[in-house]
Amino acid sequence: MNHSAAQEFADHWAQAWNAHDLDALMTHFADDVTFRSPVAVQVIGGDGVLRGKAALRAYWAEGLRRIPDLRFEVIGVYVGLGALVVNYRNQKGGLVNEVLVFDGDLVVEGYGTYLGDDPNPAGAR
């Protein structure tokens, strides 16, 4: 992925999140995606590992329900080999990195990572 394609991906990703449009967001993810996030533990319990597109969608739907003011501002986009990092600021002002691993055009693995020691970095209610 080149920087232009990465920026285009990040722009679409942020627009989908800011519109709370899960259908648009999910178009970027493979059916067998695995996603890990400490916020998932807070929102839905378990070990924070989501396996499959349906589980990821259910987590994010619950997250949007519990964070109705969710909004992301992309700060930077970093390109690697088969990977992309979207650095953004959330509605709380917290800095977050979403680390995404691709197979072709689809994300097959992802990690939500948070800066600092805020016990509720996403602002879930």
Side-chain angles (χ1 to χ4, degrees):
M1 179 179 294
N2 63 37
H3 284 281
S4 177
Q7 188 63 55
E8 185 177 317
F9 174 92
D11 290 345
H12 186 266
W13 176 89
Q15 288 169 1
W17 271 118
N18 291 339
H20 298 192
D21 184 348
L22 281 179
D23 290 334
L25 187 61
M26 297 311 297
T27 65
H28 297 292
F29 294 83
D31 289 341
D32 62 347
V33 65
T34 300
F35 194 89
R36 293 168 172 82
S37 174
V39 172
V41 175
Q42 292 177 317
V43 172
I44 61 170
D47 62 2
V49 181
L50 295 306
R51 293 172 180 86
K53 196 172 185 176
L56 182 59
R57 181 186 183 92
Y59 158 52
W60 283 343
E62 179 61 14
L64 286 171
R65 187 187 73 74
R66 294 182 56 186
I67 311 168
D69 60 339
L70 181 135
R71 179 146 184 82
F72 297 159
E73 173 196 355
V74 174
I75 305 298
V77 179
Y78 306 84
V79 179
L81 295 175
L84 171 67
V85 175
V86 181
N87 175 241
Y88 65 94
R89 188 173 304 281
N90 66 18
Q91 77 287 345
K92 285 185 66 174
L95 288 173
V96 184
N97 283 323
E98 194 117 326
V99 181
L100 304 171
V101 178
F102 288 78
D103 183 3
D105 292 336
L106 295 177
V107 176
V108 295
E109 192 171 358
Y111 302 84
T113 64
Y114 297 83
L115 181 64
D117 59 1
D118 184 343
N120 187 11
R125 299 180 188 128

